[in-house]
Amino acid sequence: MLIVMRDHATREEIDHVVALLKEAGAEAHLSRGEVKTIIGVIGDREVMYSLELEGLPGVEQVVRVLKPYKLVSRDFQPEDTVVCVGSAAIGGSSFAVIAGPCSVETEEQVLKTARAVKVAGATILRGGAFKPRTSPYAFQGLGVEGLRLLRAAADDVGLPMVTEVLDVRDAETVAEYADMLQVGARNMQNFMMLEELGRLRKPVLLKRGLSATIEEVLSAAEYVLKGGNRDVVLCERGIRTFETYTRNTLDLAAVSALKTLTHLPVIADPSHGTGRRDLVRPMCRAALAAGADGVMVEVHIDPEHARCDGPQSLTPEMFADLVAELRPLASIVGRSVGTEA
């Protein structure tokens, strides 16, 4: 349930409600606005409903929530969340541009790419050190050495860095290097991983699973927020359908739907969503129009010789043209794109 406190409810009134909830065995999660405070309650439904909360001092309304997710919903927090990743912001008036190679291959490759995307206007550097591959014989990434190279490149250009966590056992190690931790599509319902990331308190980029519903991705995000980590960004990266022309089907309707259902930022990944570099730019424009808070694109200095996802990777020149194209479009809806060179 959600408990909506009256405008400017006192700290004593709020603390009294929280104390009663904890006494009944419930968890209380506070969302404090400038005027209102909303308390999200997680616990035994029958016990919670038996409490006479409506008459408590400072309580305006008690709302029974039937959705399986609570903390991520706009019922709990009507205002948009802005997630800060180092010097970058995702959400609000900013349109985030996350760019970099699918996988780290060499020191020269990742450094040249980082410098190119920074000059073009990227706000966050992305790259894979641990790579989940369908084939066990495909390139699996450089592991910890890849993390080190990514961190060095990010520091060189002054950008925060996001990379994927593949295994809960590696979460703390990856968190030592990364500013943001990515949960890939295959791990979206790895609940042990999500619970661990809820405890780590690092911003999380949660990708939608290949066959996940909107409710399922929101429920996955709920695991992280329930653990205490409110800095979660959702990513639509394409779902598996009957279509074979594109790698996946980029579901931009889900972006618009998620923006109505959750206060969390939502971005799109047209690189994985289409698998074709010629479709990345138009899908970035479409994502912006659909209300996305940013895009994540793959950029490689030599896509033809990339060890992973070359056909969907932009060259640095293509990426620079993309950012230049997005800036005037974003200004129409009151957003700023990337960093100025």
Side-chain angles (χ1 to χ4, degrees), residues 58-285:
V59 174
E60 178 179 295
Q61 184 183 12
V62 176
V63 181
R64 271 69 175 176
V65 180
L66 300 179
K67 302 185 183 89
Y69 51 87
K70 301 171 180 64
L71 303 178
V72 306
S73 74
R74 284 202 181 272
D75 295 329
F76 173 66
Q77 181 180 312
E79 304 84 8
D80 288 340
T81 288
V82 177
V83 174
C84 294
V85 185
S87 58
I90 305 178
S93 62
S94 299
F95 187 82
V97 182
I98 305 171
C102 172
S103 62
V104 178
E105 300 165 7
T106 66
E107 181 177 11
E108 179 185 21
Q109 170 247 3
V110 70
L111 187 56
K112 282 186 175 181
T113 306
R115 289 173 176 172
V117 299
K118 171 59 186 285
V119 169
T123 50
I124 299 175
L125 176 67
R126 60 141 292 151
F130 297 91
K131 295 301 300 178
R133 306 301 301 278
T134 302
S135 169
Y137 305 108
F139 178 55
Q140 305 290 318
L142 298 180
V144 175
E145 175 63 10
L147 291 175
R148 187 187 68 79
L149 294 176
L150 266 175
R151 182 71 267 163
D155 290 342
D156 180 84
V157 299
L159 287 178
M161 180 267 282
V162 58
T163 192
E164 184 171 353
V165 182
L166 277 190
D167 194 299
V168 67
R169 294 169 295 183
D170 300 323
E172 290 190 3
T173 300
V174 178
E176 291 177 9
Y177 291 89
D179 300 291
M180 187 179 205
L181 306 176
Q182 177 181 310
V183 178
R186 294 171 179 84
N187 261 328
M188 189 206 80
Q189 290 184 311
N190 183 340
F191 301 122
M192 288 181 62
M193 170 88 77
L194 299 176
E195 289 174 347
E196 178 64 19
L197 297 184
R199 291 188 287 268
L200 281 180
R201 301 296 198 276
K202 281 262 184 172
V204 172
L205 178 61
L206 178 62
K207 287 198 165 188
R208 183 185 182 187
L210 278 70
S211 302
T213 65
I214 290 173
E215 183 175 293
E216 286 169 343
V217 70
L218 288 171
S219 295
E222 187 83 4
Y223 270 89
V224 183
L225 269 72
K226 185 176 181 293
N229 187 351
R230 303 292 179 87
D231 293 325
V232 177
V233 176
L234 305 179
C235 180
E236 164 56 39
R237 48 80 66 206
I239 54 175
R240 179 171 291 174
T241 69
F242 55 82
E243 184 54 68
T244 57
Y245 181 75
T246 54
R247 179 174 178 176
N248 295 288
T249 297
L250 188 64
D251 186 3
L252 293 181
V255 171
S256 296
L258 285 167
K259 291 298 293 181
T260 66
L261 293 169
T262 180
H263 55 86
L264 299 176
V266 182
I267 68 169
D269 176 354
S271 298
H272 284 92
T274 65
R276 301 174 57 96
R277 73 169 60 91
D278 61 317
L279 296 179
V280 169
R281 283 177 66 176
M283 289 301 97
C284 283
R285 296 195 300 267

